[in-house]
Amino acid sequence: MRIRLTFAKQGALRYIGHLDLHKMWERVTRRAGIRLAYSQGFHPQPKIQIAAALPLGFSSRCEIIDMWLSEEIDLSGFAEAIQAAVPPGLHIQQVDIVDDRAPALQTLVDSAAFEITLLTPADDELPRRLSSVMESETLPRERRGKSYDLRPLIESLSFISPDKITMKLAARPSATGRPEEVLDQLGIPFEETRIERTQLILK
Amino acid sequence: MLTPEQIQQKLDRILLKVIKPGRYVGGEYNITVKNWDTTPNRVAFVFPDIYDIGVSNVGLKILYDQVNQREDALAERAYAPWTDMELFMREGGIPLYSLETFHPLAAFDIIGISLPYETLYTNALNVLDLAGIPVRASERTMEHPLILVGGHSTMNPEPMHAFIDAFVIGEGEEAIHDVINTVARFRQSGTTGTRENMLLALSKIPGIYVPSLYTVTYQEDGTVETVAPVRADVPKVVTKRMVAKLPPPPTKFIVPNTETVHNRATVEIMRGCTRGCRFCHAGMITRPVRERSVAEVVAAAEEAIRSTGFEELALLSLSSSDYTNILELVTTIGEKFGDKHLNISLPSLRIESVSIELMERLKDRRSFGFTLAPEAATERMRRIINKFITDEDLLNTTREIYARGWTTIKLYFMIGHPSETIEDVEAIATLAKKVLAEGRKVAGMKVKLNLGVSTFVPKSQTPFQWVPCDTTGQIKEKQDVLRRMLKDKNIKLSWTHAEDTFLEAFLSRGDRKIAGVIYTAWKNGAKFDAWNDQYRYPIWLAAFEEHGLDPDFYTHRQRRLDETFPWDHISAAVRKNYLFQDFRMSLEGEIRPDCRQKCYACGILPTFSNQRRENPGEGWKCPDVKSPAKQLSVISVP
Ligand code: SF4
């Protein structure tokens, strides 16, 4: 049985990385008395898929994972059982049953929306800098020695208030936009912000 | 003092710059967060190494629960930040804080530091300094928390005497409550609440050693002449605390959100050991043996797995095979957990075929290897250390282990035992090769052997406390022999660096003069001494030089038979005479069998006769005490 969970990851959990999150779910389900399906082989691994790795330091309202259970279960009370077994900062938002043969979760992600809080409010120039980014044809940059164009990865970029902006970036395996890079383009130091992923848009 | 909010704001700006920020933010499952303002007694427990190592420490977990069970007290945790984080904290003016509520450590009433081994000493100093608390005990006032230390290293507390207000000698489960109550009385009473009075009152609690209330004089040759209390009402000898009946084991283990060294739930099945291996510090200082019942262990294991979700369960003791109902225990555990994708570990098994059956009943997945600890490879050596097995026992057992499907065996040996010769060391390599060769006969070329060869350090309160530790030159020569003889790629040899052994030796065998050396070494940058790559050997040598002391005096000197040791005023309840007799027996190559069969009157029973009388029967492995209780004046805890 394949189950899709949507959850928020906040507080101290912002500093917990992708691999650790995997392990965490294994323990959460064991605490909740839910039996995961395991892979075959010498080192059996629980079958869990995480939609898109969340960078360290980001919080999120919209993480998605799929997990396979070793038995068919009744979902009433499931969300509550899980919620009681998670560490502080994690909130279950939605539970769905997914067709076993549906494509791997990672391949479904299309784009992601972020909300950026500026720890020091920006100057009056910020809206203009935002428009100039959006108006450019191309934004050539480098990532790990490879040049790429940031512009097509930005789907939208909005000024909300002097200490808040939002953006929607491509999040396909072949083309992923990173909020830090957009911030850098805007001249905002990453350490001066709080970033929250607010939505993962699936195909 | 910074508020928790201010600390968190500062942290937000640095955490993404350090390795593994998850170490510094708390928020784990199963932590206890109490209301700071309404809870009067606040204790911070510190394991002075990084989070990854400290968070799974069982001793602190027991105390954390003990304190948090009280309505009137709270316990929180802190660990030593890694060097990158320390730099940012010092730069940003962030004091060491607790992971539960982000209060600075200096805001607590008591800081309890765990010092199970000596290579944590400089880290303990660093922790105090990072907390903004004077490192020297004499510079602290009532404004500062009480600095309390516990753990096996306290069996010789003297090297740390200058930095610690009070040591808990022995087991802490009950003593911690006495300390909290006493400190509370002095914090709450206005004028009488001087630090001196508080320390005096603490010294009257059984098992609490307050070093500032003792003076030491030395002989001309540098050895200790006398250790005497400064007042008549301070005990001459501090005897360890011991809980007559083991309290229910902790089950709500803190589940780290990040990968750490041990990710497991543990149940201590028994405390103490009756084997009497002469090199073993733990075996000598944790007597008497007290066992938990099978029912209690199984219930705790179930609850611990349920409440943590850990993938590993470890049944802890110094010698699992000696647990009375071990077969019943592993059968039940195996049946209950065998199919739950759990690893179950059962350390310290005897070298005999029964051990293999035990592992099979646990449904061991054979992926972690099978561990045995012969410790020595010749009959002469085995008689000296009082751990007697024959080569035949070992080979029969290892052959059987390979035959039943384990591909890797781990064998632990020790070099540097008293009177060890190069032949005794060569015998380790020869025996290892034989183990592998025999394994190949039954299971083919895939079999592997991991050989862990550590170096013996003679510890206080053991029969070997009189003997010298090998010099770094001797150790290196012996290790060369092993490396030269063991070239098979299927034998993986690991060893302890000679310099690490040297450090451990003078720290554990030192007197009060070593405190100055520790302070100087720390000032000059020594910390994380338990980490090979961090250990700064030249800094330590320079510190000895600066204080005009010779490290060899502490590590390589055969001590006089009538010598007063720096730790003689601390008692593990095993008589010095008994240890001496055992030392003499070792010189004769005489074995002292397991004292479950026959009591050798080591000193435990006279010291704890009342406790034994009140807890008769199977729980303890010492004989029952039949004599009527003597009329004792009731010890009143101040
Ligand atoms: S009192 Fe006797 S039985 Fe008990 S630990 Fe000592 S020697 Fe062993």
Side-chain angles (χ1 to χ4, degrees):
Chain A
M1 183 179 197
R2 180 175 176 184
I3 290 181
R4 182 161 297 169
L5 278 177
T6 310
F7 59 93
K9 179 174 175 268
Q10 284 152 335
L13 292 181
R14 284 192 293 138
Y15 296 105
I16 305 309
H18 187 62
L19 288 177
D20 290 330
L21 190 66
H22 234 272
K23 189 54 108 199
M24 197 184 85
W25 277 109
E26 202 182 328
R27 293 178 185 154
V28 167
T29 47
R30 199 176 282 122
R31 294 197 285 265
I34 290 156
R35 304 185 76 138
L36 291 177
Y38 277 72
S39 65
Q40 301 294 314
F42 199 59
H43 289 291
Q45 293 298 317
K47 290 178 75 181
I48 293 174
Q49 288 178 353
I50 298 181
L54 185 69
L56 217 56
F58 287 29
S59 57
S60 172
R61 288 179 227 158
C62 60
E63 294 310 284
I64 306 177
I65 64 162
D66 279 3
M67 53 170 77
W68 278 259
L69 311 189
S70 66
E71 57 203 355
E72 297 287 315
I73 59 160
D74 175 7
L75 279 194
S76 65
F78 180 87
E80 292 74 13
I82 294 270
Q83 186 61 55
V86 297
L90 203 149
H91 303 278
I92 304 296
Q93 286 159 332
Q94 204 178 321
V95 180
D96 300 297
I97 299 178
V98 180
D99 187 341
D100 241 346
R101 288 150 314 191
L105 187 52
Q106 299 90 311
T107 65
L108 294 177
V109 184
D110 190 54
S111 57
F114 300 90
E115 184 179 284
I116 321 290
T117 306
L118 309 185
L119 297 180
T120 325
D123 53 57
D124 300 343
E125 288 293 291
L126 186 62
R128 201 192 49 74
R129 291 207 298 276
L130 256 65
S131 330
S132 109
V133 162
M134 288 312 278
E135 280 153 18
S136 356
E137 292 272 304
T138 60
L139 291 169
R141 292 179 59 87
E142 269 199 13
R143 185 194 287 171
R144 289 205 203 102
K146 273 186 166 173
S147 49
Y148 74 101
D149 185 0
L150 176 63
R151 181 59 194 87
L153 302 177
I154 307 174
E155 294 180 9
S156 71
L157 182 59
S158 321
F159 175 86
I160 306 295
S161 66
D163 66 352
K164 197 151 284 182
I165 53 181
T166 60
M167 57 181 81
K168 196 164 138 197
L169 307 176
R172 295 179 291 280
S174 54
T176 307
R178 300 182 181 201
E180 323 74 291
E181 289 166 349
V182 180
L183 290 174
D184 188 54
Q185 197 69 39
L186 293 167
I188 301 171
F190 175 55
E191 309 86 73
E192 293 289 308
T193 62
R194 275 280 185 97
I195 306 179
E196 182 157 74
R197 185 146 79 184
T198 52
Q199 204 188 355
L200 272 177
I201 297 109
L202 302 188
K203 277 178 213 153
Chain B
M1 218 182 281
L2 292 185
T3 64
E5 294 71 33
Q6 288 168 324
I7 288 177
Q8 275 175 302
Q9 275 162 16
K10 282 171 177 272
L11 283 174
D12 258 353
R13 287 171 191 245
I14 61 169
L15 282 174
L16 287 178
K17 299 179 190 167
V18 302
I19 311 166
K20 291 205 190 178
R23 290 167 173 166
Y24 309 110
V25 292
E28 305 96 325
Y29 193 75
N30 278 342
I31 58 171
T32 305
V33 183
K34 289 194 170 181
N35 186 322
W36 178 272
D37 297 318
T38 59
T39 312
N41 301 300
R42 300 150 182 165
V43 185
F45 287 116
V46 180
F47 193 91
D49 204 314
I50 56 167
Y51 176 86
D52 312 38
I53 291 171
V55 70
S56 47
N57 182 272
V58 185
L60 282 189
K61 175 61 193 167
I62 293 174
L63 296 176
Y64 183 83
D65 282 4
Q66 283 288 335
V67 176
N68 277 325
Q69 276 160 20
R70 292 171 64 133
E71 285 268 309
D72 66 345
L74 60 78
E76 305 193 1
R77 298 161 304 138
Y79 306 93
W82 187 238
T83 48
D84 61 341
M85 181 66 173
E86 178 180 341
L87 222 60
F88 283 114
M89 287 172 72
R90 289 192 188 273
E91 244 174 51
I94 306 175
L96 192 62
Y97 55 90
S98 69
L99 292 181
E100 275 73 8
T101 61
F102 295 85
H103 277 89
L105 249 54
F108 287 80
D109 302 309
I110 299 172
I111 297 181
I113 306 178
S114 172
L115 291 177
Y117 41 90
E118 299 79 7
T119 39
L120 293 172
Y121 288 171
T122 50
N123 272 29
L125 268 57
N126 208 40
V127 157
L128 292 177
D129 190 54
L130 272 170
I133 296 167
V135 164
R136 291 184 184 281
S138 57
E139 289 165 22
R140 296 195 282 261
T141 68
M142 224 34 194
E143 306 272 283
H144 299 111
L146 177 86
I147 308 301
L148 187 73
V149 152
H152 284 185
S153 76
T154 64
M155 284 295 161
N156 176 18
E158 295 300 77
M160 288 293 278
H161 82 284
F163 317 111
I164 307 303
D165 297 317
F167 293 85
V168 180
I169 310 298
E171 296 166 0
E173 286 103 329
E174 294 167 352
I176 188 69
H177 295 295
D178 300 340
V179 172
I180 291 174
N181 296 341
T182 303
V183 170
R185 232 180 57 225
F186 283 88
R187 292 236 177 260
Q188 282 145 22
S189 68
T191 48
T192 54
T194 67
R195 201 159 178 96
E196 287 69 36
N197 289 342
M198 181 173 81
L199 291 175
L200 184 63
L202 286 167
S203 78
K204 293 179 182 164
I205 300 173
I208 300 298
Y209 172 57
V210 177
S212 57
L213 297 177
Y214 295 77
T215 49
V216 181
T217 59
Y218 297 92
Q219 313 253 26
E220 227 152 76
D221 65 359
T223 59
V224 171
E225 184 180 32
T226 56
V227 179
V230 295
R231 298 169 49 125
D233 56 349
V234 172
K236 284 199 181 68
V237 171
V238 178
T239 303
K240 76 169 182 185
R241 281 297 273 270
M242 191 273 313
V243 291
K245 186 172 181 338
L246 300 181
T251 53
K252 271 185 72 185
F253 291 95
I254 288 170
V255 186
N257 289 323
T258 57
E259 199 60 29
T260 59
V261 175
H262 288 301
N263 297 290
R264 63 185 194 186
T266 59
V267 184
E268 186 187 24
I269 63 176
M270 139 178 114
R271 199 174 288 178
C273 181
T274 49
R275 293 260 136 198
C277 301
R278 294 181 178 123
F279 57 84
C280 182
H281 192 234
M284 291 291 160
I285 67 170
T286 60
R287 296 174 172 212
V289 166
R290 287 141 292 161
E291 291 187 354
R292 289 198 163 99
S293 70
V294 170
E296 187 177 16
V297 172
V298 172
E302 280 188 300
E303 178 53 24
I305 292 299
R306 201 200 56 71
S307 77
T308 63
F310 275 133
E311 48 283 351
E312 187 179 336
L313 170 69
L315 302 174
L316 298 183
S317 72
L318 291 172
S319 174
S320 301
S321 300
D322 290 325
Y323 180 78
T324 308
N325 297 312
I326 189 68
L327 203 63
E328 182 193 345
L329 177 67
V330 296
T331 312
T332 319
I333 295 274
E335 280 164 5
K336 282 203 190 294
F337 302 105
D339 63 337
K340 287 197 169 166
H341 297 286
L342 282 175
N343 288 311
I344 303 168
S345 63
L346 186 67
S348 312
L349 287 172
R350 243 187 343 244
I351 300 171
E352 58 185 19
S353 59
V354 180
S355 300
I356 310 172
E357 193 190 327
L358 295 178
M359 291 301 277
E360 293 199 320
R361 290 198 185 206
L362 280 179
K363 305 199 170 65
D364 180 77
R365 286 197 274 149
R366 288 169 170 67
S367 46
F368 284 93
F370 201 117
T371 304
L372 298 171
E375 307 289 3
T378 57
E379 177 175 341
R380 187 181 76 89
M381 218 65 266
R382 289 167 181 157
R383 287 183 173 278
I384 287 175
I385 66 173
N386 203 42
K387 184 160 188 179
F388 198 75
I389 51 146
T390 63
D391 282 359
E392 205 188 330
D393 291 337
L394 179 68
L395 290 168
N396 286 341
T397 311
T398 53
R399 203 184 291 118
E400 188 70 19
I401 294 169
Y402 284 128
R404 300 229 204 151
W406 279 271
T407 47
T408 306
I409 294 180
K410 291 181 201 163
L411 291 183
Y412 286 116
F413 285 93
M414 224 184 244
I415 54 168
H417 291 304
S419 87
E420 184 184 53
T421 63
I422 290 294
E423 288 74 53
D424 293 311
V425 178
E426 286 168 348
I428 295 175
T430 311
L431 187 55
K433 286 198 257 190
K434 224 183 261 176
V435 165
L436 193 74
E438 290 294 306
R440 281 176 176 160
K441 284 188 201 157
V442 294
M445 293 306 283
K446 64 174 189 296
V447 298
K448 288 190 169 50
L449 182 64
N450 289 349
L451 200 61
V453 184
S454 58
T455 307
F456 172 61
V457 174
K459 290 281 169 89
S460 64
Q461 324 275 0
T462 69
F464 287 158
Q465 56 185 346
W466 287 271
V467 308
C469 183
D470 269 359
T471 63
T472 42
Q474 287 170 309
I475 296 169
K476 284 179 177 166
E477 189 190 338
K478 290 175 179 178
Q479 289 172 341
D480 278 342
V481 167
L482 292 175
R483 274 188 297 259
R484 219 175 29 243
M485 288 181 69
L486 294 168
K487 292 251 160 77
D488 194 308
K489 71 173 192 332
N490 288 317
I491 299 182
K492 208 175 106 204
L493 175 68
S494 55
W495 60 88
T496 320
H497 289 280
E499 288 79 9
D500 293 355
T501 301
F502 179 62
L503 173 74
E504 188 188 333
F506 65 67
L507 288 180
S508 61
R509 302 168 62 71
D511 52 23
R512 291 194 163 195
K513 290 179 265 181
I514 291 290
V517 176
I518 296 173
Y519 185 84
T520 304
W522 166 70
K523 268 282 173 200
N524 292 332
K527 61 187 166 191
F528 288 109
D529 292 307
W531 293 63
N532 282 330
D533 58 330
Q534 298 291 320
Y535 172 35
R536 293 163 180 90
Y537 189 53
I539 292 182
W540 282 100
L541 291 183
F544 268 101
E545 188 126 307
E546 193 178 320
H547 290 269
L549 293 172
D550 176 11
D552 293 358
F553 172 81
Y554 296 98
T555 47
H556 304 319
R557 186 171 57 86
Q558 167 76 51
R559 305 208 175 192
R560 282 196 333 270
L561 298 183
D562 64 347
E563 188 166 326
T564 300
F565 293 132
W567 53 84
D568 275 353
H569 57 302
I570 304 297
S571 167
V574 176
R575 290 175 297 115
K576 192 176 182 182
N577 255 343
Y578 172 89
L579 297 174
F580 187 65
Q581 187 188 37
D582 213 51
F583 174 46
R584 296 295 287 266
M585 286 172 76
S586 92
L587 296 176
E588 303 292 321
E590 212 180 312
I591 292 288
R592 172 143 30 201
D594 190 326
C595 66
R596 277 178 201 235
Q597 270 93 52
K598 173 175 180 289
C599 173
Y600 300 101
C602 68
I604 287 291
L605 279 180
T607 309
F608 299 117
S609 58
N610 285 340
Q611 286 94 324
R612 181 57 173 146
R613 205 176 284 108
E614 285 157 19
N615 294 275
E618 277 304 294
W620 285 35
K621 295 301 149 191
C622 302
D624 275 330
V625 170
K626 300 270 162 46
S627 61
K630 280 199 215 87
Q631 205 50 48
L632 280 174
S633 53
V634 180
I635 304 166
S636 64
V637 173

